[in-house]
Amino acid sequence: MNLTQKAMLGVSAVAMATALTGCGQSTSYPRTAQPTDSQCRDWEWDSSQGVYRCDDSSSSYYRHYYYGNSYYSSRSALQKNSSYSTYKSSISSKTSSGFGKGSSISGG
């Protein structure tokens, strides 16, 4: 192999490794449109819960979670909702491990 081929092989390997770096990471993104409820004017996406949270300090629902057209004053109140539990399970399975997670390659 000449020097140019070796350099191209090295560049390709680095590009491949860089592209695969994020494959094992989970990404949580808004799966629903931002609420348009008039009780809150500022929404924040809570990626750990997979729902929006009111960030409007002038609202009586400040820091409440919003799911299924309802407000929840705490994380535990939200998690008690059976519909939310089903939703949370569905998004957790879609954001789980990436390519090659848990696999190994061994020489023969």
Side-chain angles (χ1 to χ4, degrees), residues 4-36:
T4 303
Q5 288 174 324
K6 287 180 182 180
M8 290 306 292
L9 184 60
V11 168
S12 296
V14 168
M16 176 77 82
T18 302
L20 293 176
T21 299
C23 288
Q25 299 172 352
S26 60
T27 304
S28 183
Y29 51 90
R31 300 181 54 82
T32 60
Q34 184 171 325
T36 56

Side-chain angles (χ1 to χ4, degrees), residues 55-72:
D55 200 30
D56 178 359
S57 60
S58 65
S59 171
S60 59
Y61 292 105
Y62 179 61
R63 293 291 176 200
H64 281 58
Y65 295 95
Y66 187 83
Y67 173 76
N69 297 322
S70 297
Y71 287 94
Y72 298 89

